[in-house]
Amino acid sequence: MTYPVLKQYLARLSGQDSTTTSIWLDADGRAQGRFFNCTMTSAFQPVRDLARGGVVAYEGLARSVSAADEGLSLWRLLDHAASDDESVELDRLCRMLHAINFFRQDDNAGADLYLNVHDRLLSAVSSNHGYAFQRILDALDLPIGRIVLLLPTVTAQQGWLLSYVADNYRRNGFRFAVNAASAREGLHLLERVRPDVIRLDARGLADEAGLAGLLERAAQAGTRVVFKRMETPEALQALQRIGAASGQALLAQGFLLDVPRTALLHAGETLAAAA
């Protein structure tokens, strides 16, 4: 492990009793946490460069701990039960768990960590978005430059809120990603909030010419475009046509390529689906 402060923190966690602390290590050294009566940990799904097959990033996902399977999405279990304050607490706990479970593994070298920001956080936190998480990363001496915060989709009426939150995160040293429903919206977001990453749904690739244009404009601006929810060979074929038309590198994420894996990274594994 190349992060000595994190190593020291994990050594202290290894001696913690899970009944007396909110974060502890299991027998395999994975960080786990508790929210209400749920025990949770991290799962990671790669974002891949389709041309090379390599991993450029991992998205951290909160999962309930299960001995039988990969666990359930914690947000789906608690989305309607938690108050705004509790949602903020859960959101920050998830990001801390993901950061610990990501940077403790040597296989993370060179990849970014994508972390979701829940939509409740946008309105529940009044100011200085990102400051609390920045302090956690600084305390553990973890590289903020490797973190990309995934901002939730907002309505047209919330455009001002997206701009405000994005500016807060940028001033606190974070890169951030936005979701776009179409190539046209992606171009609009590229000009308005200057994101580091634009994410589009791979299940909606009908406007191939428009998406090729977005890839070109994004490359000029230094913004990555990631096609998420890559689930079918047909979607992969459409994306490869778009890549050929634009001449740009293609980044994709989805169950066709990789299943999220609890607390483990996928570095070094080949990408059969894109071959």
Side-chain angles (χ1 to χ4, degrees), residues 64-105:
S64 63
V65 173
S66 171
D69 53 38
E70 290 294 305
L72 300 173
S73 169
L74 199 71
W75 281 111
R76 292 181 182 177
L77 293 174
L78 301 175
D79 213 7
H80 302 292
S83 67
D84 281 351
D85 287 346
E86 289 164 339
S87 294
V88 171
E89 180 185 349
L90 172 59
D91 200 63
R92 289 172 175 168
L93 176 59
C94 288
R95 276 182 273 156
M96 183 174 179
L97 276 177
H98 299 337
I100 291 171
N101 280 321
F102 179 76
F103 287 111
R104 72 179 180 83
Q105 299 185 65

Side-chain angles (χ1 to χ4, degrees), residues 210-230:
L211 291 168
L214 173 61
L215 283 168
E216 294 176 14
R217 290 280 296 277
Q220 294 168 3
T223 296
R224 281 179 164 176
V225 177
V226 174
F227 293 87
K228 60 181 180 177
R229 297 194 178 102
M230 178 64 62

Side-chain angles (χ1 to χ4, degrees), residues 224-248:
R224 281 179 164 176
V225 177
V226 174
F227 293 87
K228 60 181 180 177
R229 297 194 178 102
M230 178 64 62
E231 297 174 355
T232 67
E234 292 76 19
L236 179 60
Q237 292 167 7
L239 186 56
Q240 289 170 332
R241 290 195 299 270
I242 293 167
S246 68
Q248 302 298 325

Side-chain angles (χ1 to χ4, degrees), residues 7 9 40 54 93 114 127 148 157 162 220 227 232 236-237 253:
K7 186 175 182 179
Y9 177 72
M40 64 182 191
L93 176 59
Y114 287 7
S127 64
V148 177
Q157 292 75 21
L162 178 63
Q220 294 168 3
F227 293 87
T232 67
L236 179 60
Q237 292 167 7
Q253 171 189 15

